[in-house]
Amino acid sequence: MPPELTLTAAPAASTAPRLRSKRRWRVPVGIVLPAVVLGAIELAAWLGWSGSRALPPPSEVLRTLIGLGGQTLGLHLLASTGRVAAGFALGSGLALAAGSAVGLSQRVSAWLDPSVQGLRAIPSLAWVPLLLLWLGIDETPKIVLIAIGAFFPVYLGVASGFRGVDRKLVEVGRLFGFSRLALVRRVLLPAALPSVLTGLRNGLGLAWMFMVAAELIAASSGLGYLLTDGRETGRADIVLAAIALLALLGKLSDGAMRVLERRLLAWRDAFEPGP
């Protein structure tokens, strides 16, 4: 018996490093499609198939980014990132409180949820003139508009997460004698956490989208300002440069949320799709 155990254990130990090394050097296939599209646009511009004024090649967009200068570009990035961070913190904080109350109480849901669902149907740009009338043209209406965009997906994720908890889990918690607070902390919140984190990710994505609309409110800095400046001066390269930066920042922030999601949900034995 002992020799057989050593023979079966040795190959597993020798193959484990090779498996880890393969995962470490795996090429991220997600960059293949963007690289192909950018290469095709660059080739079409080089061959004269597309007008560089309407669709500048990626090399020209990169030169535009370099021409903006590190300090100027940094100020625009810092302004937009700060507004998104403030608006997302405000909107998601209110949504976590409201969604938890609605998800945990039928009475609160009957009073609050119909109004929230009605407000959710209002387009984002419809809030702009009202915020201008109420709050002026400084930073406050921009942050409030971003908070509005982040609020609704987080609210829906939290409320639906609590409502979707399996009733058998709640009954087991009551059999163990959990108080209402302990039941929320030890049963309801862990079970609802996947939906809550999904709502936070969606809210962060919408916060970046609403930021562009917010920076149309008399902004003098930010990526939304770059979009407006490129449109007014007829420079598609500036517009595309701002769009590329928005895509990059959105991807980085979503990646950070995914890392947080994996850590908080490390206990979950979820389905992993095959290749």
Side-chain angles (χ1 to χ4, degrees):
M1 184 68 66
E4 293 179 0
L5 290 176
T6 55
L7 287 174
T8 55
S14 62
T15 55
R18 287 199 295 269
L19 291 174
R20 285 195 294 268
S21 63
K22 287 181 180 179
R23 293 192 187 100
R24 188 180 300 118
W25 294 104
R26 186 173 57 185
V27 177
V29 296
I31 66 174
V32 174
L33 181 59
V36 170
V37 172
L38 293 176
I41 295 174
E42 185 73 30
L43 180 62
W46 185 71
L47 295 175
W49 294 348
S50 63
S52 59
R53 181 177 177 83
L55 184 61
S59 58
E60 183 178 345
V61 176
L62 182 60
R63 287 193 296 269
T64 299
L65 287 172
I66 296 174
L68 288 173
Q71 184 176 3
T72 302
L73 192 59
L75 290 175
H76 289 304
L77 293 174
L78 185 62
S80 294
T81 305
R83 288 165 184 151
V84 169
F88 177 70
L90 176 62
S92 60
L94 294 174
L96 287 171
S100 299
V102 168
L104 296 173
S105 173
Q106 287 286 351
R107 183 175 298 177
V108 175
S109 176
W111 279 91
L112 185 60
D113 190 62
S115 299
V116 174
Q117 297 299 335
L119 293 174
R120 188 169 67 92
I122 300 175
S124 60
L125 292 179
W127 293 101
V128 174
L130 186 61
L131 293 177
L132 287 174
L133 289 173
W134 283 355
L135 303 174
I137 59 173
D138 57 358
E139 288 297 307
T140 305
K142 301 177 181 63
I143 294 174
V144 171
L145 184 60
I146 296 171
I148 291 172
F151 176 87
F152 295 106
V154 178
Y155 167 84
L156 290 175
V158 175
S160 63
F162 280 117
R163 290 173 182 170
V165 174
D166 192 344
R167 183 177 298 178
K168 297 183 180 65
L169 297 176
V170 179
E171 293 174 354
V172 170
R174 288 172 176 165
L175 287 176
F176 276 94
F178 289 167
S179 65
R180 183 174 178 84
L181 181 60
L183 190 66
V184 172
R185 182 175 61 87
R186 301 183 62 179
V187 177
L188 293 173
L189 183 58
L193 194 57
S195 296
V196 173
L197 292 173
T198 299
L200 287 170
R201 284 183 62 188
N202 291 333
L204 183 58
L206 272 183
W208 283 105
M209 297 180 189
F210 272 62
M211 181 271 296
V212 176
E215 290 184 345
L216 297 178
I217 308 176
S220 59
S221 62
L223 298 179
Y225 166 77
L226 282 181
L227 289 170
T228 304
D229 183 60
R231 175 183 59 82
E232 292 178 350
T233 57
R235 293 191 58 181
D237 55 335
I238 295 180
V239 174
L240 289 175
I243 291 174
L245 291 173
L246 284 170
L248 179 61
L249 290 175
K251 175 60 180 174
L252 290 176
S253 59
D254 183 70
M257 288 295 299
R258 291 189 64 181
V259 171
L260 178 64
E261 184 180 25
R262 283 197 297 267
R263 293 198 174 191
L264 293 178
L265 300 179
W267 51 267
R268 186 176 58 170
D269 188 14
F271 166 73
E272 295 184 2

